[in-house]
Amino acid sequence: MNRWVGGQPSTLALKTSIVKGFSRFLVERGFADSDAAQPLKRPRRQRPEDVDVVSLMPGDVVRLLERCQDWQEYLCLSTLAYTGARRGAAARARRGDADLERLTIRFLEKGGKVIIKPIPDEYVAILRAAEGDGVWAGPEDYLIPNRRPASVRRRERSDKVVWNTVKRVAARAGVRAHVHAFRAAFAVAFDDAHPDQFVALKELMGHSRPESTLIYLRRKDKARAMEAVRDLSWGSSGFPSLSEEAHTGFEPVLPP
């Protein structure tokens, strides 16, 4: 457990649960005489809506898409922005999973769950343009191409290709972003456009419980609730006149 000291509360809670569960397993199967991990206390996890998360504003998403330099980057970021897919699902998607006749896309989500989503019109146009440029050789090609296809040796590639692409474009655009920030941006954008379609948003996000979807909306509502502070005033009409000379020995002398 020492290797996780100083980690995030959620990480510590997960590792503690694993160790405690394994310790109970050893006792139940007769491999140990006592539950050595029983005294360990599982740290309290933060509420999901209170976790410090990276948020993307609509302008950030547009800026990121504009800074893409090739089809690999553009397909990666547009897939995340227009579908709200998780990193692993986006990385596993094949060209054949996007049906440009029925206008649907199929994702294999965590736990083996399959989700078929309608494709937004703008994303359909992007996929058709990429098809016209010969991005994919066939339906088994990955929807988000590899950066260097010849260097990939594993049968099932790592989803890190998506993470690396987002980080590369974000650094170029000067925007703080990661993959899950796109997922959150998708949820907020959909809710803004369709505030009465909560069930649809839950299904699009691939959540089994409504509470998981509400996490994204609570963060949005909390942020907007604090916007009222912007009209706070102390009656000041502007900055005071700042002299270049200090009045006493304690005030700093400001440069011209």
Side-chain angles (χ1 to χ4, degrees):
M1 291 297 293
N2 287 342
R3 69 193 306 180
W4 304 108
V5 171
Q8 294 295 322
S10 58
T11 301
L12 291 172
L14 172 63
K15 303 306 178 183
T16 302
S17 295
I18 293 172
V19 171
K20 288 174 71 70
F22 183 60
S23 181
R24 286 194 302 271
F25 167 83
L26 295 177
V27 173
E28 292 168 359
R29 296 300 176 92
F31 295 112
D33 296 328
S34 61
D35 187 350
Q38 193 277 332
L40 289 176
K41 302 298 182 183
R42 189 173 185 270
R44 178 177 296 179
R45 300 180 63 174
Q46 289 179 278
R47 296 186 305 167
E49 59 267 31
D50 291 337
V51 175
D52 182 23
V53 296
V54 176
S55 300
L56 287 176
M57 301 299 290
D60 295 328
V61 176
V62 172
R63 192 185 321 165
L64 287 164
L65 291 172
E66 289 176 344
R67 296 307 300 272
C68 292
Q69 294 182 344
D70 53 34
W71 272 119
Q72 192 273 341
E73 293 180 350
Y74 197 66
L75 284 169
C76 178
L77 270 63
S78 62
T79 299
L80 298 173
Y82 283 103
T83 69
R86 294 181 176 90
R87 183 172 82 183
R92 287 188 292 268
R94 308 275 181 163
R95 167 60 188 87
D97 291 324
D99 189 333
L100 297 184
E101 292 184 2
R102 294 184 176 87
L103 304 183
T104 59
I105 187 167
R106 175 184 180 275
F107 287 112
L108 179 61
E109 291 282 0
K110 63 181 183 180
K113 181 179 180 181
V114 174
I115 302 177
I116 299 177
K117 306 180 183 182
I119 306 178
D121 295 339
E122 290 183 5
Y123 186 52
V124 171
I126 292 170
L127 295 179
R128 284 177 173 160
E131 188 92 279
D133 276 359
V135 171
W136 305 286
E140 290 303 310
D141 285 355
Y142 285 113
L143 185 66
I144 300 172
N146 287 307
R147 189 69 179 169
R148 293 180 295 276
S151 65
V152 178
R153 298 286 183 267
R154 301 194 316 174
R155 183 172 181 178
E156 191 74 20
R157 68 174 177 180
S158 169
D159 61 11
K160 200 169 183 180
V161 62
V162 177
W163 185 89
N164 285 333
T165 302
V166 170
K167 285 298 184 182
R168 181 171 58 251
V169 178
R172 187 185 305 140
V175 175
R176 185 170 175 237
H178 55 58
V179 179
H180 201 81
F182 276 92
R183 185 165 163 81
F186 171 86
V188 170
F190 182 88
D191 187 65
D192 285 345
H194 308 283
D196 59 340
Q197 298 292 321
F198 176 78
V199 174
L201 177 59
K202 170 183 170 294
E203 296 303 319
L204 288 167
M205 297 292 285
H207 290 150
S208 57
R209 299 183 303 131
E211 293 80 2
S212 300
T213 310
L214 284 171
I215 292 170
Y216 295 89
L217 304 187
R218 286 196 201 104
R219 286 175 182 152
K220 180 192 75 171
D221 293 341
K222 185 193 300 186
R224 290 186 176 173
M226 292 189 288
E227 286 292 316
V229 76
R230 295 192 182 279
D231 61 2
L232 181 65
S233 171
W234 298 108
S236 173
S237 59
F239 289 105
S241 176
L242 299 176
S243 170
E244 296 181 20
E245 299 294 333
H247 299 294
T248 70
F250 298 99
E251 292 90 343
V253 177
L254 300 179

